[in-house]
Amino acid sequence: MAERQIGVRVRGRTAEKFLARHAISPEDAIDHVPDERDRPAFERLRAKGIVREVGPGRYWFDVPAALYDADALSRRMVPIAIVLALVVSGIAMLFYRG
């Protein structure tokens, strides 16, 4: 059976830095000190368990955790998008004169 390819888009400078240096397992952890402008995003990723620390100042990017987080966001946003689409179409129907 052919292996299924999954396209993943990772957003944010923090994720890009870890992926560019292939820091995706504890063995590949890198020394990292985030820029001040990146610190809030870095801390959010750490709080979610996406960026993990293996030693003082050494971190790696947990790709499965990032995928799980992205899926969770999609599961929350899809129903909201559907409701908004229905509301917009309902409002449009109020202005329809047939």
Side-chain angles (χ1 to χ4, degrees), residues 41-57:
F42 178 76
E43 293 301 332
R44 275 193 306 275
L45 292 172
R46 283 194 65 203
K48 291 180 176 183
I50 296 170
V51 171
R52 298 179 182 252
E53 186 173 20
V54 294

Side-chain angles (χ1 to χ4, degrees), residues 63-78:
V63 175
L67 294 175
Y68 180 80
D69 184 62
D71 287 343
L73 178 63
S74 292
R75 284 191 299 274
R76 288 190 307 267
M77 296 308 287
V78 166

Side-chain angles (χ1 to χ4, degrees), residues 27-38:
E27 297 81 27
D28 299 323
I30 59 171
D31 292 325
H32 182 70
V33 177
D35 298 334
E36 279 306 310
R37 65 182 178 173
D38 294 334

Side-chain angles (χ1 to χ4, degrees), residues 84-96:
L84 286 174
L86 291 172
V87 168
V88 168
S89 65
I91 291 171
M93 293 296 289
L94 292 175
F95 293 102
Y96 179 73

